[in-house]
Amino acid sequence: MTAPGELERTLRAELRGDVDFGAAARALVTMDASNYRRVPLGVVAPRDAEDVATALRVCAAAGVPVVPRGGGTSIAGQATGTGVVLDLTRHMNALVALDPAARTAVVQPGLVLDRLRDAARPHGLTFGPDPSTRSRCTLGGMIGNNACGAHSVAWGTTADNVTELAVTAYGGTSHRIATGWAGAPQGLRELVSGNLAVLRTGMAGGFSRRISGYGGLDALLPERGVGLARAFCGSEGTLGVVTEAVVRLVEAPRAPVLAVLGYADESAAADAAAGLLPHRPLTVEGMARDLVGAAAHGLPRGGAWLFAEMRDEGAARALVRAADSVDAALVTDPAGQRALWRIREDAAGTATRLPTGEMAWPGWEDCAVPPQRLGAYLREFRALLAEHGLHGSPYGHFGEGCVHVRIDFDLVTAAGVARFRDFSVALADLVVSHGGSLSGEHGDGQARAELLPRMYGPEVLELFAAYKDVWDPAGGMNPGMLVRPARLDENLRFAVLPATPFAGEVARCVGVAKCRGTQPAGAEVMCPSYRVTGEERHSTRGRARLLHEMLAGEIVTDGWRSAEVAEALDLCLACKGCRSDCPVGVDMATYKSQFLERHWAGRIRPLSHYTLGGLPQWLWLIAALRAAGPAGAVARRLPVPGLDRRRALPPPAREPFTRWWRRARTPSRGTGAAVVLWPDTFTQYLSPRTGRAAVRVLEAAGLGVNLPPGRVCCGLTYLSTGRREHARKLLTRTLDTLGEVRAPVVVLEPSCAAALRTDLPALLPDDRRAPRLAAAVRTFAEVLEECAPQWRPPRLDRPVAGQTHCHQHAVLGDAADRRLRERAGLTGGLSGGCCGLAGDFGFEPGHHEVSVACAEEQLLPSLRAAPAEALFLADGFSCRTQIAQLGGGRRARHLAEVLAEGLGEGLGEGL
């Protein structure tokens, strides 16, 4: 084998695409969405098919294996490799052509499925297979795994929707394959003609979800039209690299209706699923209460449900009448349908966290049995889990007998891994006993390929090996998968991690890669930096992978001083969007804070960590100097070092909020419940107008308003810069100042409220006062709704635009705010996404372009599209600052300010 350095130099010299053998590039692709980890030599992002051929020729000459990779959402380990990984998403991601009349599209392998669907939608068309990862999975990956999705009941698998493939084999030979023998590699025709009997009788099962092994090999039979392209689908990168594909499109239903059918339990739902198929549903998806959890309150009565999508309301009503269900509901509203489908689509992540709080893992994610056998299979499957002391929540494509499940395997200890292996063997036998397939959707990879002899006879396995060798005689394409596979208990990703709480948090990222979605996703926030850069290292998953490799120490060797991890985390806005939008709740803002604490320990930090990171103290000092006399004017003009020159810091107010309170306040006019108004740093020193407005509104609602007896702070700016010990001391002093909290604590700044609710208890786990304060925290809208439910806000009857703060979205929720705006006659919604300023992020050097790009994704277009009479709202001070600086002269206000003005009470200047 050629030395890595020489191979890298050769590839750089001969390719026009990107070649990266650095630690960060390698670390980002050691894992996919499976339990497995393999360390590659380097990563190549080819520009085009010619680059692919060159890379495969150079690697073959060097004796280095190659694995093609798309979105990296594979759950069986087949998107990882020890040689060169081909990243086909960076450059080869085009929709080459779309022909609505012919209902076909020509795509490159790195094209994300949702981009194809978006392009087809105006023509009333779609691509039938639709995995739940469609916002980030690629067409090349779908072809490699023969992906299916919820609509395969109606439209089949990817193999059913591919008509032609351009394929490059290891060594650089190109093939164009469709039906017939044209383009076939030498020897394939002879292999098929010599094994007709095996192909006709040995391929286990004839149902639609037989994906395991080279499950489509019988498509090469003459009576099936010699489907070369069809047989290639599902080969998991072991035969060659797809460089272009012609795919079929189907007519999308114009107004589908979702029938939600409730059943007593999972077994009843599974038994009923096959009976719905004569009604020709588009989908029949099943899930039980142990997966749905709290979302069950919006579903019909029952302990398990089938989601059956029909083409129209008439068909849906007919299905409901025929179904023997406990209860049923029809959902015609598209928004209501999306909310229900999100439960199903997020299940790959939410199933990773069991109701007990334990983590569960993939590995047996998509076994399939004939639909008529599903009920019996699931009953035996549940019994097998119990026999091995394991737990999981099955769900999935019940209409096709395909079951997804995450199981609480112990993949760290020797005993746990041994149990994983024993269970895997027993489950494989159970699936086969029901006439099923070890893989029904995502391929075998390393997770199940070792067990294929339990599904197929020796003649079929010999044929699989011969088929692989015809396409790839040197064995360089994704070795260890399907043919001559690695053991299912080798290369487990958990084995390299230390037994620490931080490692456990990092390992929580299972790689489903929802953070790689590139399209604005309504109210969702995650992951703003990835959406504007398109680089894996700036996604939540990419950062988690780098942290994983930092802890492993094999590729990233500098530990907590790692420059690779620091660079990736530098563009993390700490928006906390991943805390809510990531299906497994990865909290990268906290991981970043913990990393920065150790990364800069004992060293001089960046200037911004001392300036903006110490903002509460600096603003207190400026206010004190100003109160002392002429020195205040000097303090106001002092330059702030270490910040981007294109950003102007908002000027401090002439009079801090608490000084106004002491000077101008009379005893509270409210006679109702007492509340404590938290004077956060932004309200106190930069926007006291907001605090005064809140006092006006809260008292108008009849509430008695008090302030803490001394200085308090949530410590957010210290947390965001990794000065966690300083934050702990500051929060301890704050708790000492507050004493016993007996009233709701109203926090006007969402980021401060989020810090008090979540970071405070985590930082001071042994202080009993911390959870009490966290539980007392309320947003402005929440406290009005809870403590003054009869109060009616002034009717403003105006449209609104603006920004929901990221931390409010991720931690606090904005349901109370939306209800308050509705009662005040404020119509329209606020922007999702992230404003891009994110506290100190937008002020730091090197962040300006990303900050502006984040604002341009959703916020600024929504402001430009707002009607002339619209009010602009943003409860977060950073959001208001971003709007003021980038919004073309617009000024956004806190909801408290707008309501106070509606009450007809002046707020005074004071700024």
Side-chain angles (χ1 to χ4, degrees):
M1 181 184 291
T2 302
E6 182 180 344
L7 176 63
E8 180 182 13
R9 287 190 293 272
T10 303
L11 288 168
R12 286 187 184 277
E14 298 203 27
L15 269 68
R16 291 175 294 110
D18 308 319
V19 177
D20 195 341
F21 279 45
R26 297 164 64 211
L28 289 169
V29 297
T30 56
M31 292 167 275
D32 48 17
S34 71
N35 296 324
Y36 299 99
R37 171 184 177 270
R38 295 194 294 175
V39 178
L41 295 176
V43 182
V44 170
R47 286 277 175 187
D48 49 26
E50 183 180 343
D51 257 5
V52 171
T54 300
L56 290 170
R57 174 179 54 78
V58 169
C59 288
V64 172
V66 173
V67 56
R69 181 179 172 106
T73 57
S74 301
I75 59 166
Q78 61 266 64
T80 66
T82 57
V84 167
V85 173
L86 293 184
D87 177 2
L88 298 165
T89 63
R90 194 173 307 174
H91 303 301
M92 297 183 67
N93 56 17
L95 172 58
V96 178
L98 192 151
D99 186 340
R103 293 187 177 179
T104 60
V106 182
V107 301
Q108 290 186 323
L111 179 69
V112 170
L113 173 58
D114 263 358
R115 286 186 54 205
L116 172 61
R117 289 161 55 92
D118 290 345
R121 187 175 295 111
H123 307 286
L125 302 172
T126 190
F127 187 66
D130 60 339
S132 61
T133 55
R134 62 179 177 268
S135 66
R136 59 272 192 197
C137 72
T138 64
L139 271 296
M142 293 178 67
I143 292 166
N145 292 347
N146 196 9
C148 305
H151 287 86
S152 60
V153 170
W155 297 319
T157 71
T158 298
D160 296 316
N161 293 275
V162 168
T163 64
E164 189 175 333
L165 295 173
V167 175
T168 305
Y170 192 65
T173 305
S174 296
H175 305 264
R176 193 90 188 182
I177 58 175
T179 55
W181 292 110
Q186 187 176 3
L188 181 56
R189 185 171 189 171
E190 292 75 17
L191 177 67
V192 171
S193 63
N195 289 275
L196 293 176
V198 176
L199 287 170
R200 287 177 176 134
T201 63
M203 302 296 287
F207 71 109
S208 59
R209 288 299 186 107
R210 189 196 65 208
I211 303 298
S212 272
Y214 296 118
L217 199 54
D218 54 355
L220 297 178
L221 286 166
E223 62 266 29
R224 299 192 61 187
V226 188
L228 279 179
R230 184 185 184 90
F232 192 93
C233 293
S235 55
E236 301 184 33
T238 62
L239 306 181
V241 179
V242 172
T243 58
E244 190 173 271
V246 181
V247 300
R248 292 190 186 94
L249 303 174
V250 298
E251 183 178 354
R254 295 181 180 178
V257 174
L258 186 62
V260 184
L261 308 173
Y263 294 87
D265 54 30
E266 174 186 270
S267 292
D271 288 335
L276 303 181
L277 299 181
H279 294 270
R280 303 182 65 185
L282 300 175
T283 61
V284 181
E285 298 290 292
M287 64 197 79
R289 183 175 293 274
D290 54 359
L291 175 73
V292 175
H297 76 273
L299 299 176
R301 290 180 295 111
W305 296 269
L306 293 179
F307 286 14
E309 187 177 77
M310 306 299 290
R311 291 184 180 274
D312 54 51
E313 187 169 347
R317 292 192 180 280
L319 181 138
V320 168
R321 286 194 297 270
D324 185 19
S325 60
V326 173
D327 195 8
L330 293 185
V331 184
T332 58
D333 171 47
Q337 292 181 19
R338 285 194 298 272
L340 290 176
W341 279 123
R342 176 169 178 175
I343 299 171
R344 167 61 185 86
E345 290 168 2
D346 282 354
T350 54
T352 302
R353 176 72 58 152
L354 296 179
T356 60
E358 296 295 315
M359 294 294 289
W361 308 105
W364 285 95
E365 180 72 8
D366 61 319
C367 298
V369 299
Q372 297 78 9
R373 301 288 306 164
L374 181 61
Y377 164 73
L378 280 178
R379 285 186 283 273
E380 293 184 52
F381 171 77
R382 289 278 193 179
L384 188 65
L385 283 176
E387 179 184 332
H388 287 263
L390 297 170
H391 307 85
S393 301
Y395 66 97
H397 314 299
F398 279 24
E400 291 202 291
C402 183
V403 176
H404 298 315
V405 65
R406 302 270 164 134
I407 301 172
D408 61 341
F409 298 118
D410 167 10
L411 298 175
V412 177
T413 68
V417 173
R419 181 167 59 164
F420 165 62
R421 181 173 188 83
D422 291 343
F423 175 83
S424 298
V425 172
L427 181 54
D429 289 341
L430 175 61
V431 171
V432 172
S433 73
H434 284 275
S437 176
L438 303 186
S439 172
E441 181 162 29
H442 295 301
D444 300 299
Q446 187 176 342
R448 291 176 291 273
E450 183 193 354
L451 300 173
L452 287 176
R454 310 185 94 85
M455 177 178 171
Y456 294 109
E459 289 183 316
V460 172
L461 292 174
E462 289 175 9
L463 181 57
F464 284 174
Y467 180 56
K468 157 81 169 172
D469 292 343
V470 165
W471 275 102
D472 181 28
M477 288 304 306
N478 208 5
M481 305 294 151
L482 293 185
V483 172
R484 297 176 280 273
R487 287 168 53 95
L488 62 87
D489 50 358
E490 293 178 315
N491 305 318
L492 293 171
R493 69 183 180 97
F494 307 93
V496 296
L497 291 176
T500 64
F502 185 77
E505 283 295 308
V506 169
R508 173 187 281 186
C509 175
V510 294
V512 295
K514 189 176 179 184
C515 50
R516 278 178 56 100
T518 57
Q519 301 299 318
E524 292 189 358
V525 172
M526 179 185 72
C527 178
S529 50
Y530 175 78
R531 287 214 291 263
V532 302
T533 66
E535 294 187 33
E536 172 81 7
R537 63 179 174 158
H538 297 311
S539 69
T540 304
R541 180 180 73 173
R543 293 175 179 125
R545 294 308 189 226
L546 284 165
L547 287 167
H548 191 117
E549 294 303 331
M550 177 196 80
L551 295 170
E554 182 179 353
I555 307 174
V556 179
T557 57
D558 293 338
W560 295 98
R561 294 292 170 92
S562 166
E564 296 88 355
V565 176
E567 183 180 6
L569 288 172
D570 182 56
L571 289 189
C572 171
L573 288 85
C575 66
K576 290 186 179 287
C578 48
R579 182 186 173 96
S580 61
D581 298 344
C582 170
V584 296
V586 168
D587 187 356
M588 193 53 62
T590 297
Y591 305 168
K592 177 181 180 180
S593 176
Q594 293 172 324
F595 173 81
L596 290 176
E597 178 180 36
R598 301 192 188 191
H599 184 73
W600 292 110
R603 296 194 291 170
I604 300 297
R605 290 169 165 268
L607 279 173
S608 62
H609 287 201
Y610 300 107
T611 52
L612 289 180
L615 188 66
Q617 188 66 22
W618 290 116
L619 290 174
W620 174 84
L621 178 61
I622 290 171
L625 289 172
R626 178 174 292 157
V634 176
R636 184 167 182 166
R637 292 195 298 268
L638 287 175
V640 181
L643 305 186
D644 193 292
R645 293 179 179 272
R646 289 165 289 188
R647 288 286 190 181
L649 277 177
R654 288 197 297 269
E655 182 179 48
F657 171 63
T658 55
R659 194 174 299 161
W660 166 82
W661 174 273
R662 291 192 300 269
R663 175 184 60 79
R665 291 287 297 144
T666 57
S668 180
R669 291 175 289 172
T671 58
V675 299
V676 176
L677 183 60
W678 183 275
D680 63 85
T681 294
F682 305 99
T683 300
Q684 166 75 336
Y685 298 112
L686 299 172
S687 185
R689 180 187 183 95
T690 303
R692 297 196 300 273
V695 173
R696 298 285 199 277
V697 176
L698 293 172
E699 291 187 338
L703 302 179
V705 181
N706 299 299
L707 262 61
R711 289 178 61 194
V712 294
C713 184
C714 70
L716 175 65
T717 62
Y718 301 100
L719 285 172
S720 64
T721 51
R723 299 167 71 186
R724 297 174 65 82
E725 188 55 38
H726 194 111
R728 290 185 188 95
K729 293 177 180 177
L730 184 62
L731 286 167
T732 299
R733 290 199 299 269
T734 291
L735 292 173
D736 292 340
T737 299
L738 282 173
E740 186 70 23
V741 177
R742 299 185 182 277
V745 178
V746 187
V747 186
L748 300 175
E749 173 59 41
S751 59
C752 297
L756 291 169
R757 273 208 190 157
T758 59
D759 296 310
L760 167 62
L763 283 166
L764 301 176
D766 298 324
D767 192 325
R768 289 179 295 178
R769 299 172 300 175
R772 292 174 188 163
L773 174 55
V777 167
R778 299 291 185 273
T779 67
F780 175 70
E782 285 174 341
V783 82
L784 285 171
E785 188 170 82
E786 293 179 21
C787 299
Q790 303 304 316
W791 181 69
R792 291 292 177 263
R795 289 290 301 186
L796 302 174
D797 295 319
R798 296 272 297 276
V800 297
Q803 179 77 54
T804 298
H805 194 285
C806 297
H807 292 187
Q808 178 140 16
H809 165 83
V811 177
L812 308 168
D814 68 338
D817 296 74
R818 286 185 275 111
R819 289 189 290 266
L820 179 56
R821 292 199 301 267
E822 182 180 356
R823 292 198 302 273
L826 298 173
T827 59
L830 304 187
S831 172
C834 178
C835 78
L837 192 62
D840 61 346
F841 178 86
F843 290 96
E844 290 186 315
H847 294 173
H848 184 73
E849 287 75 15
V850 170
S851 176
V852 173
C854 288
E856 280 291 355
E857 191 197 21
Q858 293 190 60
L859 172 59
L860 297 183
S862 74
L863 299 184
R864 290 191 285 266
E869 69 274 19
L871 296 171
F872 296 105
L873 295 178
D875 281 3
F877 182 78
S878 291
C879 305
R880 298 199 294 274
T881 302
Q882 185 80 312
I883 292 170
Q885 295 189 355
L886 302 180
R890 297 170 178 85
R891 175 176 173 261
R893 290 174 291 174
H894 195 286
L895 180 58
E897 295 180 65
V898 171
L899 294 180
E901 291 177 8
L903 292 171
E905 300 189 36
L907 300 178
E909 291 300 324
L911 296 175

